[in-house]
């Protein structure tokens, strides 16, 4: 049978999942999306203008001269049958109105954190907790930033025990891939868990 099911060479239609990347200004969201994307990432960066300077606090974000006005967008094929669309959320408070749009249909999220400015990631953690969107926290290990034990970061961010927390380098494709795989696994476990709970009732 030529057209039988056993024809394993038939191209598969991949499942596409949407993942958000959030975290404070300068934490490495644009870098992360750029590191993994197979397509030229869509970026909406602008040179920090004089006008933006009082709003965009660059203290501790040395050498950063651009700011993402709206968002980053990239795509990565994790497996032949699994493609992620990765959206970097805008870091600045004045773009909060975009978050609810971006969060529509998202499977899960990564909250990037910088140990020098952990408080900048509180809002993102809060946002996903409130909306019940599964997320993992990835500490972007900047050179010169203090290395803290994972548990210290967990306590400082007041994370639930079930939230995965990992270290990463937003510039390294393999490191970012590990983070994205962790988010997908975490989100799918949650879906699985609630299915089982529903079946038990
Ligand atoms: N040393 C180091 N620099 C990084 C890392 N990730 C990002 N950067 C730099 O930090 C700055 C801010 O990163 P960016 O991705 O623009 O932050 P965003 O505002 O969250 O999009 C840029 O100059 C990056 O090159 C990292 O893991 N290590
Ligand atoms: Mg950015």
């Amino acid at each position: 049978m030529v057209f039988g099911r056993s024809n394993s060479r038939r191209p598969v239609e991949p499942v596409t999942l949407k993942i958000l990347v959030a975290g404070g200004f300068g934490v490495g969201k644009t870098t992360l999306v750029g590191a993994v994307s197979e397509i030229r990432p869509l970026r909406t960066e602008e040179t920090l203008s004089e006008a933006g300077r009082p709003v965009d606090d660059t203290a501790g974000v040395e050498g950063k001269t651009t700011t993402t006005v709206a968002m980053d967008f990239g795509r990565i094929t994790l497996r032949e049958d699994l493609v992620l669309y990765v959206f970097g959320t805008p870091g600045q408070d004045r773009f909060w109105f975009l978050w609810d749009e971006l969060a529509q249909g998202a499977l899960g999220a990564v909250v990037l954190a910088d140990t020098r400015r952990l408080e900048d990631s509180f809002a993102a953690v809060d946002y996903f907790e409130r909306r019940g969107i599964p997320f993992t926290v990835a500490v972007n290990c900047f050179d010169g930033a203090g290395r803290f034990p994972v548990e210290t970061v967990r306590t400082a961010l007041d994370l639930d025990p079930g939230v995965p927390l990992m270290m990463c380098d937003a510039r390294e494709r393999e490191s970012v891939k590990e983070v994205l795989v962790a988010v997908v696994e975490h989100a799918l476990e949650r879906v699985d868990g609630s299915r089982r709970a529903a079946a038990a009732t």
Side-chain angles (χ1 to χ4, degrees):
M1 215 170 63
V2 181
F3 300 109
R5 282 173 170 269
S6 61
N7 186 356
S8 60
R9 302 193 69 97
R10 191 174 51 183
V12 284
E13 194 57 46
V15 171
T16 57
L17 300 173
K18 178 178 177 181
I19 302 291
L20 302 185
V21 180
F25 175 66
V27 81
K29 300 179 294 294
T30 300
T31 306
L32 182 149
V33 174
V36 287
S37 190
E38 300 149 352
I39 51 172
R40 207 169 127 245
L42 171 70
R43 260 178 212 162
T44 39
E45 296 247 329
E46 255 188 11
T47 306
L48 282 184
S49 62
E50 279 305 322
R53 233 163 243 156
V55 193
D56 297 329
D57 172 20
T58 51
V61 199
E62 307 78 15
K64 185 167 162 65
T65 52
T66 58
T67 186
T68 305
V69 173
M71 58 172 195
D72 309 293
F73 169 70
R75 187 191 69 200
I76 176 171
T77 307
L78 280 190
R79 277 194 331 231
E80 181 191 19
D81 58 348
L82 182 58
V83 171
L84 301 187
Y85 288 121
V86 185
F87 291 80
T89 56
Q92 304 96 312
D93 294 345
R94 63 186 191 282
F95 292 112
W96 269 99
F97 64 92
L98 283 172
W99 279 56
D100 289 337
E101 289 296 324
L102 283 173
Q104 296 270 346
L107 175 81
V110 180
V111 175
L112 264 182
D114 176 350
T115 53
R116 297 169 299 179
R117 324 198 313 159
L118 271 185
E119 65 282 2
D120 288 6
S121 295
F122 288 172
V125 168
D126 231 45
Y127 181 90
F128 297 123
E129 272 178 358
R130 255 175 236 218
R131 280 163 186 79
I133 297 174
F135 66 97
T136 65
V137 174
V139 175
N140 191 13
C141 300
F142 284 89
D143 323 309
R147 299 277 195 273
F148 297 95
V150 165
E151 282 317 306
T152 309
V153 178
R154 182 180 289 284
T155 307
L157 286 174
D158 195 21
L159 297 180
D160 286 341
V163 176
L165 174 65
M166 54 204 297
M167 304 292 160
C168 80
D169 186 327
R171 300 164 299 180
E172 296 287 334
R173 185 182 159 83
E174 284 310 310
S175 174
V176 173
K177 245 175 118 168
E178 275 173 34
V179 172
L180 294 175
V181 167
V183 179
V184 172
E185 283 176 350
H186 177 55
L188 294 180
E189 269 165 27
R190 285 252 316 242
V191 173
D192 237 35
S194 39
R195 272 218 199 106
R196 245 178 269 127
T201 53

